[in-house]
Amino acid sequence: MELTADHYLTPTHSGSLEDYLQRIARVPLLSAEEETSLARRLRDHHDLGAAQRMILSHLRLVASIARQYRGYGLPQADLIQEGNVGLMKAVRRFDPERGVRLVSFAVHWIKAEIHEYILRNWRLVKIATTKAQRKLFFGLRSLKPGFSSLSPQETRKIAEQLGVRPEDVSEMETRLAGQDISLDPGPEDDEHWVSPVAYLADEGAGPRETLEANENARNSHEGLQEALNRLDARSRKIIEDRWLRDEDAPPITLHDLADEWGISAERVRQIEVRALQKIRATLLPTPQPA
């Protein structure tokens, strides 16, 4: 059975990684003249057959580079597949007139795709987002001796080699040593295990509750203004002085209002009671029988 280019580019199609590596090892390498001729055909005539030959002849390069990243705990087949994507990008951008072989030009694109895949999948939480952090991430992984914590001397040495501050090396080492923690308890956790969701939960009101509270407050304010507008001037002034003053304002007694209006305190109380009844009737109208 004749194998298509897809079978070469995707290790999972072969059934085993070993079989894939054996097959790509049998693909002949290109001479410099062949590579230049194929690259010109691709550039000038968009010859996809030429692009395919250039890609297939460099698949063993991708596999060799992918082996350098076995320590990240990710499937080797996935690393190779991502590297193949970088190889295809390199072939598309390759200029045969620069006098550089494709093998040298493609290394950058292959590593870039593998790096991106590792950073996307190595942790649920991204540990390297900027270009400088990515460089430090892979540099520290390759230079750190063993799994023990770095000593101050080792930290300074690595910082000098990577051209960064010792503090940056220490911070990245802490990120590398961290573990992803599930917010919810898993089925294997016992009943005494407390998950982060138990103590990270937001006890405040959610967006829905906040919106409802704001809407209720607005309706209550508008309803109160409407109820006050239905009162006569004296009743409204008595209610405002007795119930709607600022919290830090001094209280006004029935006797104070009696002196202001020239009536008895009992009369002020009666006006206040009737005004409150009218307000209550406006805000909470009695339902009519069906």
Side-chain angles (χ1 to χ4, degrees), residues 154-259:
E154 291 172 332
T155 300
R156 288 192 298 270
K157 182 178 179 180
I158 292 178
E160 292 176 0
Q161 291 179 268
L162 298 177
V164 298
R165 300 178 305 168
E167 295 82 2
D168 297 331
V169 175
S170 298
E171 180 182 355
M172 183 57 68
E173 183 188 21
T174 302
R175 295 187 181 190
L176 287 171
Q179 297 291 329
D180 291 327
I181 301 177
S182 174
L183 287 177
D184 295 308
E188 70 281 0
D189 298 316
D190 59 42
E191 60 181 1
H192 301 293
W193 191 83
V194 179
S195 63
V197 73
Y199 53 83
L200 293 179
D202 185 5
E203 301 296 338
R208 177 179 177 180
E209 291 77 8
T210 301
L211 180 62
E212 290 179 350
N214 292 338
E215 185 69 14
N216 290 336
R218 184 177 65 83
N219 291 337
S220 298
H221 177 74
E222 293 178 353
L224 179 60
Q225 289 299 319
E226 180 183 354
L228 290 173
N229 291 336
R230 294 185 178 185
L231 300 176
D232 61 83
R234 185 173 64 175
S235 298
R236 174 170 181 166
K237 183 66 168 56
I238 290 175
I239 292 297
E240 289 176 344
D241 287 343
R242 290 278 289 162
W243 296 95
L244 301 178
R245 292 172 62 84
D246 294 335
E247 294 183 357
D248 55 349
I252 294 184
T253 65
L254 293 176
H255 293 285
D256 293 332
L257 291 173
D259 293 340

Side-chain angles (χ1 to χ4, degrees), residues 264-278:
S264 66
E266 176 60 21
R267 179 60 180 155
V268 173
R269 189 191 65 79
Q270 294 173 354
I271 295 174
E272 178 185 18
V273 170
R274 283 199 298 270
L276 290 175
Q277 290 174 344
K278 291 180 180 180

